[in-house]
Amino acid sequence: MDFYSKIIERLNQNNPYSMHSNIFVTRVEHDYAEGELEVVPESLNPMGVVHGGCLSTLADTVGGAAVISRGRRCVTLTATLNYLRPGSGKKLTCKASVRKSGSTIAVCDLSVTDDVGREVASGCYTYYMKEPLLPEEL
């Protein structure tokens, strides 16, 4: 199993909050990640569309995956997510690209689309890069 596959496996098995939210990382490459939110009744707000918190969790999870593709842990410093239209359908997809990464800070651009390809949200998340991942974690 290659490095990026191990990251995907680790993120999908050791992230209880994302798992509870039906969020899964599906692809990781250097400075890039993709993930999905499987929409279930618990994902919806009282108006029947995907809750903004679910969209933010999806974006944060996938953005963090893009950043840790560099082999270091990270934590979120700032999160800006612009909600462009209601999230609906059976699945939402997030794509995240690291725009800039320095020795301690990484900036990630994100886009969330619905299952017909319409952009639901876009944003920019900033992460603080921490210590390297340990070999036994991968």
Side-chain angles (χ1 to χ4, degrees):
M1 185 179 294
D2 73 348
F3 174 71
Y4 300 124
S5 297
K6 289 178 183 178
I7 289 174
I8 292 169
E9 181 179 57
R10 183 171 189 279
L11 289 173
N12 289 337
Q13 293 179 358
N14 294 319
N15 192 341
Y17 186 71
S18 291
M19 291 169 58
H20 176 75
S21 302
N22 295 301
I23 292 171
F24 304 94
V25 175
T26 57
R27 182 176 175 187
V28 175
E29 298 174 3
H30 182 70
D31 287 346
Y32 180 80
E34 294 179 9
E36 298 174 347
L37 163 66
E38 294 176 14
V39 179
V40 295
E42 293 79 15
S43 306
L44 306 178
N45 67 20
M47 294 181 293
V49 296
V50 176
H51 192 285
C54 288
L55 296 175
S56 182
T57 300
L58 173 63
D60 191 26
T61 300
V62 176
V67 172
I68 69 167
S69 73
R70 293 176 159 258
R72 293 174 62 187
R73 298 171 191 250
C74 67
V75 294
T76 310
L77 287 175
T78 65
T80 300
L81 192 63
N82 300 301
Y83 300 98
L84 306 174
R85 64 175 36 88
S88 60
K90 295 181 180 185
K91 178 177 68 174
L92 298 178
T93 302
C94 180
K95 297 179 180 181
S97 297
V98 176
R99 179 192 316 169
K100 172 79 170 88
S101 183
S103 59
T104 57
I105 304 295
V107 178
C108 221
D109 290 322
L110 304 114
S111 177
V112 178
T113 55
D114 63 16
D115 51 10
V116 293
R118 292 177 297 201
E119 191 170 37
V120 173
S122 66
C124 181
Y125 280 48
T126 304
Y127 298 87
Y128 177 74
M129 297 173 66
K130 298 180 64 167
E131 66 276 356
L133 294 168
L134 300 172
E136 61 268 18
E137 294 178 301
L138 299 174

